[in-house]
Amino acid sequence: MAVIWAGIDAGKTHHHCVAIDESGRRLLSRRVANDEPDLLELLADVLALSEEVTWGIDLADGGAALAISVLLNHNQTVHYISGRAIHRASEGYRGEGKTDAKDAAVIADQVRVRRDLHLLRGGDETVTDLKILTNRRMDLVADRTRVVNRLRAQLTGIFPGLERVLSLVNTGPLILLTGYQTPAAIRRIGARRLETWLRNRKVIRADQLAEKAVEAADRQHTSLPGEKLAARMVHTLAKEAMDLNQEIDELDKLIEARFRDHHTFDVITSMPGLGIILGAEFLAATGGDMSFFGTPDRLAGFGGVAPVPRDSGKISGNLRRPQRYNRRLQRVFYTSAMFSIRYCEESRRFYDCKRAEGKRHTQAVLALARRRVNVLWALLRDGRCYQPVPPIVLAA
């Protein structure tokens, strides 16, 4: 029986599937609900056309998760093709119209002719959990950043001197703002009683914080318009920031516990600069299976730390940053390289060497991140932890 290809244009409530043969002729075109019975019926109808089917889909999670799981559970080969690639490929097909049926047909035809598409695999339970947890953590961190920015703006409007001396990412200053927000209130309580008030709430270095607050209050004796209402807003925002900090701390514990269950934990965290959170994000983005990428070059390209050529005509050797890559993975590579410069002598020497060559700070860090991808890929491939000095292989 001949091989056929099936493309699925995935949606939130419905998908559209088109199956084609080796000549590109449509054998099936159907809109199906995003429900298991309908998906199983579609699978049976497509397999009735041919027992050898290669599937393509334009989403790798979200609304397509159920369809992908149904296909993988029935031992089907499923490839992922991005929406951008489909949009660009559609320009080469007849007609300017855009429909779900046309997109599904383009997906099927692209799977038929291309050999470089990502093959989807059954998810590791630990990796799936880490994706959920790290995504949630990113949302909470973004929420905290917004709350702290609003808090800074509100505090600057009534007490700019205090805003300058407080680090609002720390718990101590936030606790202070839940109780005292105006210069007059801080002057009334005084340094000694404010220090006692902070110590009773387990604030670290309460004496230094109280001294800074009182000094700032002594420099401002003017009461600004709307001070009382703004002080209430500062109190509310400080409480929100503290609640978000607590939620992030609890989530970090869950991430660490889940990350430790994975067999690559020791290998990943042995790499200088890759701690619990960055290591968990790396595992969530890659799955930890380096055979999926084949070479460290592909991993570096996927993470956006490998430049791509942009040559044309007589112009050659023109390199630029890629436009299609995993933004979160690039942040992991870049941030871990920054940390490794502080704590790893080898990374520091490499960074200093690149700076001596005339490269800017960002370029030197990206070059270091690219070099570290090679090391991390080899460690995961061999299943061994990082060592500053490579092990010596003795000849037989």
Side-chain angles (χ1 to χ4, degrees):
M1 187 174 291
V3 181
I4 66 173
W5 294 263
I8 297 178
D9 180 54
K12 181 179 178 181
T13 58
H14 290 80
H15 310 311
H16 200 103
C17 177
V18 170
I20 63 174
D21 60 15
E22 59 184 5
S23 65
R25 181 172 61 92
R26 293 192 186 186
L27 305 177
L28 178 144
S29 180
R30 181 187 302 174
R31 187 170 186 258
V32 296
N34 191 16
D35 289 318
E36 186 171 354
D38 293 346
L39 293 171
L40 289 173
E41 182 181 353
L42 171 67
L43 175 61
D45 292 343
V46 173
L47 291 178
L49 300 173
S50 174
E51 294 181 358
E52 190 171 352
V53 184
T54 302
W55 299 78
I57 196 165
D58 62 343
L59 288 176
D61 50 20
L66 177 59
I68 293 172
S69 295
V70 168
L71 294 175
L72 294 179
N73 290 341
H74 288 80
N75 301 319
Q76 298 297 296
T77 302
V78 186
H79 293 275
Y80 165 72
I81 178 170
S82 68
R84 176 182 292 184
I86 298 167
H87 175 71
R88 291 181 175 178
S90 297
E91 298 176 356
Y93 291 83
R94 184 173 57 187
E96 297 183 3
K98 182 187 182 304
T99 64
D100 293 344
K102 180 181 178 180
D103 288 345
V106 172
I107 294 171
D109 197 49
Q110 288 295 297
V111 174
R112 180 178 67 90
V113 300
R114 292 181 59 171
R115 298 294 180 269
D116 60 341
L117 298 178
H118 287 293
L119 181 65
L120 297 180
R121 303 177 181 180
D124 184 324
E125 191 71 23
T126 302
V127 173
T128 302
D129 290 347
L130 287 176
K131 286 182 181 179
I132 296 172
L133 293 172
T134 54
N135 286 337
R136 176 58 179 164
R137 187 182 191 278
M138 179 171 286
D139 291 340
L140 291 176
V141 170
D143 291 341
R144 180 179 62 183
T145 301
R146 284 190 289 269
V147 169
V148 169
N149 288 339
R150 295 190 190 105
L151 176 58
R152 287 190 179 280
Q154 200 70 252
L155 185 60
T156 301
I158 60 172
F159 199 171
L162 184 61
E163 189 276 333
R164 283 195 301 270
V165 299
L166 294 185
S167 177
L168 297 181
V169 297
N170 297 327
T171 302
L174 293 175
I175 292 177
L176 170 65
L177 292 178
T178 61
Y180 302 93
Q181 306 86 26
T182 63
I186 292 178
R187 283 196 302 271
R188 279 195 302 269
I189 190 173
R192 186 179 298 276
R193 285 194 297 162
L194 181 57
E195 178 184 344
T196 303
W197 186 86
L198 292 172
R199 288 190 186 279
N200 291 338
R201 286 155 180 80
K202 297 181 173 56
V203 174
I204 301 175
R205 291 186 288 273
D207 55 340
Q208 299 178 17
L209 181 57
E211 183 180 354
K212 289 180 181 179
V214 172
E215 287 179 358
D218 289 338
R219 291 194 298 269
Q220 180 178 331
H221 291 266
T222 302
S223 178
L224 301 180
E227 186 178 82
K228 290 184 178 180
L229 181 58
R232 290 174 57 187
M233 295 298 102
V234 168
H235 167 82
T236 301
L237 291 170
K239 288 285 292 181
E240 289 183 16
M242 290 176 59
D243 292 341
L244 287 169
N245 281 339
Q246 183 178 356
E247 193 170 354
I248 291 172
D249 290 342
E250 293 173 355
L251 196 60
D252 287 349
K253 295 176 182 177
L254 291 176
I255 291 174
E256 180 176 0
R258 203 70 185 97
F259 187 20
R260 287 183 180 276
D261 291 339
H262 201 268
H263 65 277
T264 62
F265 173 81
D266 292 332
V267 176
I268 294 175
T269 54
S270 70
M271 190 76 178
L274 271 179
I276 299 296
I277 302 302
L278 289 178
E281 291 186 359
F282 168 80
L283 186 59
T286 63
D289 184 4
M290 295 300 99
S291 64
F292 177 77
F293 297 96
T295 65
D297 294 337
R298 288 199 64 184
L299 177 60
F302 181 68
V305 294
V308 295
R310 193 174 186 180
D311 299 341
S312 179
K314 296 181 180 180
I315 299 176
S316 61
N318 184 22
L319 300 177
R320 64 173 177 84
R321 182 179 296 183
Q323 296 181 348
R324 291 178 293 170
Y325 57 89
N326 188 304
R327 262 65 180 174
R328 291 186 61 182
L329 186 58
Q330 186 196 54
R331 187 183 66 82
V332 170
F333 287 151
Y334 188 89
T335 306
S336 64
M338 286 282 292
F339 283 134
S340 71
I341 293 173
R342 301 180 189 176
Y343 306 114
C344 178
E345 294 182 3
E346 289 77 12
S347 295
R348 185 72 203 188
R349 283 197 296 268
F350 184 89
Y351 171 81
D352 291 339
C353 179
K354 291 301 177 181
R355 292 286 282 168
E357 293 175 3
K359 294 188 181 297
R360 298 190 301 273
H361 168 73
T362 302
Q363 293 175 320
V365 175
L366 285 173
L368 173 61
R370 175 64 186 89
R371 178 64 62 88
R372 285 165 51 85
V373 168
N374 290 346
V375 177
L376 183 57
W377 187 88
L379 294 178
L380 288 169
R381 179 199 60 191
D382 299 339
R384 59 184 176 88
C385 294
Y386 174 83
Q387 299 176 9
V389 180
I392 300 176
V393 180
L394 299 178

